[in-house]
Amino acid sequence: MSRNPLTSFRAGIILSILLVPAVLGQETSIIEDVEVQATIKEGLDNLYNMRFAEAEFVFSRIDRQHPDHPIGPFLLSLTTWWEILLDLNDLSMDDSFFSAMDEVVDRSDKILKKNPDDLDAMFFKGAALGFRGRLRSNRGDWFKSAMDGRKAMNYVLRVADENSDNNDYV
């Protein structure tokens, strides 16, 4: 039986997003908020059932509630990401996805400028750079993909260093 790449992606996203507070050990993470967790779960359930418009509606609530945090555009971009994965030959959503990842990076940078050790910002910036690099790789833009991957690793490794007991991040 072959493994569905969307199922693997689903498991990774759930673990990454819902376990971030425990991994980061950061008391101020908005992901620790029970209401935010419930909203994320609701949105992801819609996403995994291919109800993209409903997922975007749910994720937009988080973005409205936390307009300066990178979680909003990151979650909102997941619907675009899935649509891209469903047809990798369709380039029509690339610009939208790249713009969303740039917004995640910009919001993260604003937070990191104030607090270079903010683990939420490092996590989401690393994830955005990683996703952006992955799409660039899919598109054959190897140099930019490698540059994104190199930058992403800096953040991924810093987050992993903060909790070296968690195998998912190490």
Side-chain angles (χ1 to χ4, degrees):
M1 177 185 278
S2 67
R3 190 166 190 180
N4 181 340
L6 293 178
T7 302
S8 297
F9 179 73
R10 175 184 181 186
I13 290 295
I14 287 174
L15 286 173
S16 296
I17 293 175
L18 296 180
L19 295 179
V20 165
V23 172
L24 298 181
Q26 182 172 313
E27 291 183 31
T28 60
S29 174
I30 66 167
I31 302 169
E32 289 181 348
D33 183 292
V34 175
E35 191 174 307
V36 171
Q37 288 178 353
T39 304
I40 291 171
K41 184 181 179 325
E42 179 185 352
L44 290 175
D45 287 344
N46 283 316
L47 183 67
Y48 304 143
N49 289 302
M50 306 286 195
R51 295 188 305 256
F52 297 137
E54 291 91 337
E56 284 184 0
F57 178 78
V58 171
F59 292 146
S60 69
R61 290 194 321 238
I62 293 175
D63 194 40
R64 283 192 309 272
Q65 292 170 346
H66 305 280
D68 297 327
H69 197 281
I71 192 171
F74 180 82
L75 291 172
L76 284 164
S77 73
L78 293 179
T79 57
T80 306
W81 178 250
W82 274 52
E83 290 175 300
I84 289 170
L85 288 181
L86 291 172
D87 184 2
L88 282 171
N89 294 317
D90 180 0
L91 308 178
S92 66
M93 294 171 277
D94 288 12
D95 288 342
S96 174
F97 185 76
F98 287 132
S99 291
M101 292 300 97
D102 290 345
E103 179 65 20
V104 173
V105 170
D106 289 345
R107 288 187 188 187
S108 297
D109 283 343
K110 287 178 184 170
I111 294 169
L112 291 168
K113 186 174 182 181
K114 294 177 187 173
N115 177 6
D117 297 321
D118 187 286
L119 293 172
D120 268 8
M122 285 190 286
F123 172 80
F124 283 104
K125 183 172 183 177
L129 291 168
F131 272 102
R132 192 172 74 184
R134 165 77 188 274
L135 183 55
R136 286 179 168 161
S137 174
N138 285 84
R139 300 302 184 228
D141 192 350
W142 309 117
F143 181 75
K144 286 184 179 179
S145 176
M147 298 311 302
D148 279 344
R150 184 183 59 79
K151 291 176 194 172
M153 287 304 298
N154 292 331
Y155 294 102
V156 169
L157 293 173
R158 279 194 66 198
V159 170
D161 284 345
E162 291 297 320
N163 192 333
S164 60
D165 294 333
N166 186 304
N167 291 329
D168 291 326
Y169 284 88
V170 174

